[in-house]
Amino acid sequence: MAHGTPEGLEYRGSIFDKCYAVTKADQLRNTGIYPYFRAIQESEGPEVIMEGRKIVMAGSNNYLGLTTHPKVKEAAIKAIEQYGTSSSGSRFLTGTLDLHNELELKLAKFMGKEAALLFSTGYQTSQGVLFPLVGRSDYIFSDHENHASIVAGMLLARGALNTPVVRYHHNDMEDLEKRLQRVPAKAGKVIVTDGVFSTFGDIVPLNTLCSLAQKYNAQVLIDDAHSLGVLGEGGRGTASHYGLSHEVDLVFSTFSKTLASIGGFVGGEKRVIDYLKHESSAFMFSCSPSASATAAALAALHVLQTEPELIRKLHFNANVIRKGLQQMGYDVPDGQTAIVPVLLYDDAKACQLWQGLYDEGIFVNVFIAPANPPGRAMLRTSLMASLEGNHLFRILEAYKKIGKRLRII
């Protein structure tokens, strides 16, 4: 139906009114700087073709560079030849492949858990794990900067079940304890947090968090989307990084980053995983992951375990860029992950720096309001193991050239 009111009828409002109001996207387009939805026409890993130009990719979550690894691509192609392009059903009915069972077993073993369960997307995993586990008398404690997928799961629980949701200040364990103290001692409690936070790349203080969980009888759920393949022994994630694998009740992650595919999984006690199999609507009513996506994740997991030098190279690359930008005078916090944030605090400056880098053949991500709170504009540089020395040089040179031109450094 066309937007508007037929002649002679009183206008009563439309849910589409907001779509015609001035938006941030319109404002960005009007400036000539619109950094989103740039199409990749071809990818060779560290370099991609965008708008007909070769661009150094310094904004991908493909941390170990496995999306173009020959073994991963070969596994996906063979899976299509054997199983076709879709499983065409949920896991309950016709959608379970032997590949799914194999990947669940291998992920559980790798993460040190009794069992694992696959989901069709990483976003679904967060929702599909949290919502079925809580009731109206339970409490969810969530870091204020948790990923949107966790927030969606909390909102679902609060809206459908009236489950109390308590958000504590980012990585503030004193604030978390104060809030834990305010709820009934016998109430069910779950603390859910990112392991590595996607915007700034900082790590949850898991040792303190687990101590609080034990003290107040709460379960711990960790989202390892940006930790898997990056932190811990052999890339096993945040809990392994702290030596607390047995203290974390459930760990979930996506395949869209280190594991070079699409989908997600949760690992935990066998009985809990079996419960989720039969109670998680996000799992039960979704088409299962395709054979090609599952085979790619399986192959990527194998590469992760057999080529540990990739993790070392990833950290080397991240440290080169982090230290280089700091030495130039950029506001870049110290870190231990593949995410290197460049803090600008001004939306216009962030967009101008992004455009300048892009013109120099470097792609990074720009975060401005409303994606970030006002006054916290930044660029997020994400490193990959597949970047070579010449790519790192080009990234730093571009930051230096444009930063000086814009008088940021």
Side-chain angles (χ1 to χ4, degrees):
M1 182 180 293
H3 185 74
T5 306
E7 188 176 350
L9 293 180
E10 178 185 357
Y11 177 68
R12 297 181 180 178
S14 165
I15 63 168
F16 295 134
D17 286 347
K18 64 180 74 70
C19 306
Y20 291 83
V22 175
T23 67
K24 188 73 173 181
D26 294 324
Q27 295 168 358
L28 284 174
R29 291 188 188 102
N30 290 337
T31 68
I33 302 175
Y34 186 68
Y36 307 114
F37 299 101
R38 301 285 175 134
I40 294 174
Q41 298 158 307
E42 184 180 333
S43 176
E44 299 172 0
E47 294 185 358
V48 300
I49 305 297
M50 301 178 79
E51 299 178 334
R53 295 191 302 140
K54 269 196 173 184
I55 304 288
V56 175
M57 178 50 67
S60 174
N61 295 324
N62 177 27
Y63 292 131
L64 299 185
L66 300 186
T67 61
T68 54
H69 194 288
K71 292 180 181 178
V72 177
K73 295 200 302 185
E74 181 184 7
I77 292 167
K78 285 185 176 179
I80 288 178
E81 292 173 345
Q82 181 174 348
Y83 300 92
T85 58
S86 172
S87 56
S88 303
S90 72
R91 291 286 297 279
F92 263 76
L93 302 175
T94 60
T96 292
L97 306 176
D98 53 357
L99 289 176
H100 297 142
N101 295 332
E102 181 183 356
L103 182 54
E104 286 171 344
L105 288 171
K106 289 185 175 179
L107 282 169
K109 183 178 181 180
F110 179 72
M111 299 301 293
K113 298 298 181 184
E114 290 182 355
L117 184 64
L118 303 186
F119 286 79
S120 298
T121 70
Y123 195 97
Q124 263 186 332
T125 306
S126 303
Q127 286 183 307
V129 169
L130 190 58
F131 176 60
L133 290 174
V134 296
R136 65 180 64 246
S137 60
D138 300 321
Y139 287 79
I140 301 172
F141 293 84
S142 172
D143 189 288
H144 202 270
E145 293 193 10
N146 274 340
H147 191 266
S149 57
I150 295 175
V151 175
M154 295 189 308
L155 291 176
L156 188 61
R158 187 166 67 183
L161 305 171
N162 203 28
T163 302
V165 172
V166 181
R167 300 183 75 181
Y168 58 91
H169 300 319
H170 175 53
N171 271 351
D172 187 336
M173 297 298 100
E174 289 185 8
D175 186 52
L176 172 58
E177 181 164 24
K178 288 177 183 177
R179 296 172 188 272
L180 284 164
Q181 290 170 343
R182 294 172 188 163
V183 306
K186 293 185 178 181
K189 295 176 282 291
V190 59
I191 304 171
V192 57
T193 178
D194 287 2
V196 169
F197 291 87
S198 60
T199 303
F200 291 95
D202 47 334
I203 307 172
V204 63
L206 191 60
N207 46 3
T208 307
L209 188 148
C210 284
S211 295
L212 291 175
Q214 185 174 16
K215 182 177 178 180
Y216 294 97
N217 193 30
Q219 270 66 56
V220 177
L221 276 63
I222 299 293
D223 182 347
D224 259 350
H226 293 272
S227 316
L228 185 67
V230 178
L231 294 180
E233 182 186 358
R236 286 172 173 80
T238 312
S240 174
H241 175 71
Y242 283 98
L244 294 170
S245 297
H246 296 296
E247 279 70 28
V248 172
D249 297 285
L250 291 174
V251 57
F252 49 95
S253 187
T254 178
F255 298 152
S256 60
K257 297 171 176 55
T258 289
L259 294 186
S261 186
I262 186 168
F265 77 95
V266 58
E269 293 179 18
K270 185 175 181 179
R271 188 67 183 176
V272 176
I273 297 303
D274 192 57
Y275 171 85
L276 291 172
K277 263 187 180 179
H278 297 86
E279 297 294 336
S280 173
S281 57
F283 169 80
M284 295 165 62
F285 299 107
S286 292
C287 184
S288 64
S290 69
S292 57
T294 308
L298 265 167
L301 180 62
H302 177 74
V303 173
L304 172 60
Q305 293 176 280
T306 56
E307 299 183 28
E309 65 275 10
L310 292 174
I311 300 175
R312 293 192 292 271
K313 190 177 179 193
L314 170 65
H315 284 281
F316 174 83
N317 289 349
N319 287 332
V320 167
I321 297 299
R322 185 179 291 110
K323 292 184 189 314
L325 293 176
Q326 288 174 337
Q327 290 169 1
M328 287 180 204
Y330 279 105
D331 188 350
V332 174
D334 291 331
Q336 303 176 63
T337 69
I339 297 170
V340 180
V342 180
L343 310 182
L344 282 306
Y345 308 103
D346 179 88
D347 286 1
K349 274 277 168 65
C351 289
Q352 290 166 7
L353 180 56
W354 178 89
Q355 185 67 57
L357 293 173
Y358 185 71
D359 291 342
E360 292 293 317
I362 308 296
F363 189 93
V364 299
N365 295 296
V366 59
F367 285 17
I368 58 175
N372 266 14
R376 288 181 61 185
M378 56 168 282
L379 299 188
R380 187 183 72 177
T381 308
S382 301
L383 283 306
M384 300 184 293
S386 53
L387 290 164
E388 301 295 344
N390 64 307
H391 301 122
L392 303 180
F393 177 80
R394 286 179 59 187
I395 293 167
L396 290 174
E397 283 297 296
Y399 263 111
K400 184 178 181 180
K401 177 181 177 179
I402 307 304
K404 285 186 174 181
R405 189 177 79 194
L406 297 175
R407 298 183 178 178
I408 296 171
I409 55 174

